[in-house]
């Protein structure tokens, strides 16, 4: 299969399985760089990467920034969480202004689904979606696959349960697409009010209870996304925790636990499992830098090889 990697990364749908594998293989070599004392390669020297974050972020913004710097790019990071930029026109103005610096890539996080796709139409730069509202977060899914592949070798036939607030989760959408593309079997589980209708169309099964979770090889827990809830989706967080919280009582010691962070301790996860050896939460964060280096590299420096092969 030819690896398909386009000019932008907006959705996991932009990648076929070979494209995902190519990025993960590249990430393995960058993980090695991250282990060196001098964690820098000259791949993007002289090129500019703009990080544009319109929503709060710790992990994603820091790892994109480090990734671009370790590739020797010039990096401009703009944060406007809490600003009133919520109109398409204002975003367009900002992107066109920043495009005057001739960036090779714009990494965008926005509270609005579809924002990254719009930006791709407004700039000659490559656009990477770092999370757009409830829509997608493709680099999170890639780092999740990277983390699992390192732990398990491959995802083929692996049984993965994604638990919690699926409705508001861009991570769930990107993960379902990426995990199934890599051969895993995915089930989403949570309160019916937090399971989007027709989620099965993405290729997963859906359950309103945790019955059967003992069959999962991997339990991927989502954060309760309070900031996206405009109404009460669950009677109370206590009741949610009683029925859906993942704790050592609900998890076997040989099941792998993942969470994209930030965790609401005591809500979707109990403290005892967060800090247990079966949790890969810190490995996920570590994988972020190498995977984002690989994404930037493949989009910006890998293109000529692809064009020559095509
Ligand atoms: N950090 C992830 C995201 O930006 C997950 C979360 O916020 O719950 O979507």
């Amino acid at each position: 299969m030819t690896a398909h990697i386009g000019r932008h990364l907006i959705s996991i749908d932009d990648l076929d399985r070979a494209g995902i594998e190519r990025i993960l293989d590249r990430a393995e070599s960058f993980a090695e760089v991250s282990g060196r004392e001098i964690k820098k390669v000259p791949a993007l020297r002289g090129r500019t990467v703009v990080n544009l974050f319109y929503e709060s972020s710790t992990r994603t913004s820091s790892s994109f920034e480090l990734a671009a710097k370790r590739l020797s790019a010039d990096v401009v990071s703009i944060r406007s969480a809490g600003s009133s930029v919520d109109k398409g026109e204002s975003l367009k103005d900002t992107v066109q202004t920043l495009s005057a610096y001739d960036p090779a890539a714009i990494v965008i996080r926005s509270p609005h689904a579809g924002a990254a796709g719009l930006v791709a139409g407004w700039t000659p730069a490559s656009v990477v979606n770092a999370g757009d509202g409830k829509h997608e977060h493709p680099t999170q899914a890639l780092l999740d696959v990277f983390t699992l592949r390192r732990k398990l070798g491959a995802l083929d036939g692996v049984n993965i349960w994604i638990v919690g607030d699926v409705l508001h989760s861009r991570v769930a959408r990107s993960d379902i697409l990426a995990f199934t593309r890599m051969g895993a079997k995915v089930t989403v589980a949570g309160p019916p009010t937090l399971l989007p209708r027709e989620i099965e169309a993405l290729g997963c099964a859906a359950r309103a209870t945790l019955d059967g979770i003992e069959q999962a090889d991997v339990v991927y827990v989502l954060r309760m996304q309070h900031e996206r809830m405009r109404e009460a989706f669950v009677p109370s967080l206590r009741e949610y925790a009683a029925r859906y919280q993942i704790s050592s009582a609900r998890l076997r010691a040989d099941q792998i636990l993942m969470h994209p962070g930030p965790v609401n301790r005591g809500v979707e996860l109990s403290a005892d499992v967060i800090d247990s050896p079966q949790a890969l939460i810190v490995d996920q964060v570590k994988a972020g830098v190498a995977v984002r280096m690989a994404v930037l590299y493949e989009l910006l420096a890998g293109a000529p090889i692809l064009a020559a092969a095509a």
Side-chain angles (χ1 to χ4, degrees):
M1 207 196 310
T2 334
H4 177 75
I5 302 164
R7 210 162 63 79
H8 307 294
L9 179 60
I10 308 297
S11 159
I12 287 293
D13 260 337
D14 296 336
L15 299 167
D16 56 14
R17 178 172 176 155
I20 294 176
E21 282 170 347
R22 179 173 159 143
I23 290 173
L24 301 189
D25 292 345
R26 179 77 63 191
E28 285 292 351
S29 64
F30 287 137
E32 186 267 313
V33 172
S34 300
R36 293 186 200 158
E37 197 179 330
I38 295 173
K39 307 177 193 318
K40 237 181 161 113
V41 289
L44 298 186
R45 196 162 49 197
R47 309 188 72 184
T48 303
V49 174
V50 172
N51 294 322
L52 191 52
F53 277 68
Y54 286 104
E55 204 185 54
S56 19
S57 166
T58 308
R59 276 152 279 262
T60 309
S61 62
S62 57
S63 76
F64 265 113
E65 186 159 344
L66 268 181
K69 286 181 172 162
R70 287 184 184 176
L71 292 169
S72 306
D74 294 324
V75 185
V76 182
S77 294
I78 297 162
R79 282 177 170 268
S80 20
S83 89
S84 60
V85 182
D86 56 4
K87 293 182 186 132
E89 268 314 293
S90 326
L91 178 60
K92 189 173 181 178
D93 285 346
T94 309
V95 167
Q96 285 178 341
T97 304
L98 292 167
S99 297
Y101 302 135
D102 192 22
I106 296 181
V107 177
I108 166 104
R109 163 160 298 188
S110 160
H112 302 290
L118 286 174
V119 171
W122 295 332
T123 176
S126 283
V127 174
V128 182
N129 183 5
D132 61 335
K134 295 191 284 185
H135 176 228
E136 277 217 46
H137 193 354
T139 58
Q140 174 75 47
L142 291 171
L143 72 88
D144 289 337
V145 175
F146 179 87
T147 306
L148 277 176
R149 202 176 76 149
R150 275 198 151 182
K151 182 83 184 169
L152 302 172
L155 272 69
D156 294 289
V158 173
N159 190 347
I160 305 178
W161 277 53
I162 299 178
V163 178
D165 181 3
V166 181
L167 181 67
H168 299 97
S169 176
R170 53 193 173 213
V171 173
R173 267 169 204 77
S174 293
D175 270 346
I176 294 166
L177 293 173
F179 292 161
T180 52
R181 205 148 286 189
M182 297 304 288
K185 213 178 116 217
V186 179
T187 300
V188 296
T193 47
L194 292 176
L195 291 179
R197 255 179 274 169
E198 295 168 20
I199 185 82
E200 288 111 319
L202 294 181
C204 59
R207 304 260 178 113
T209 70
L210 296 184
D211 296 346
I213 199 165
E214 63 283 353
Q215 284 156 22
D217 303 301
V218 178
V219 176
Y220 193 109
V221 182
L222 300 170
R223 184 172 65 86
M224 281 292 267
Q225 313 236 329
H226 307 289
E227 77 279 17
R228 300 196 201 290
M229 297 186 189
R230 295 209 174 79
E231 47 188 289
F233 285 86
V234 289
S236 71
L237 286 181
R238 235 174 103 189
E239 184 154 329
Y240 175 83
R243 297 195 55 191
Y244 298 98
Q245 183 187 84
I246 300 300
S247 63
S248 54
R250 289 202 169 116
L251 205 63
R252 279 196 331 269
D254 63 341
Q255 287 176 303
I256 290 172
L257 175 68
M258 298 176 82
H259 188 296
V263 176
N264 293 308
R265 276 184 185 252
V267 181
E268 68 266 6
L269 278 181
S270 71
D272 56 346
V273 289
I274 298 171
D275 305 317
S276 71
Q278 71 202 104
L280 297 186
I281 301 170
V282 177
D283 305 67
Q284 290 172 268
V285 177
K286 263 195 209 152
V289 177
V291 167
R292 288 171 176 129
M293 284 173 83
V295 166
L296 290 172
Y297 182 89
E298 287 296 338
L299 293 178
L300 305 184
I305 303 162
L306 274 181

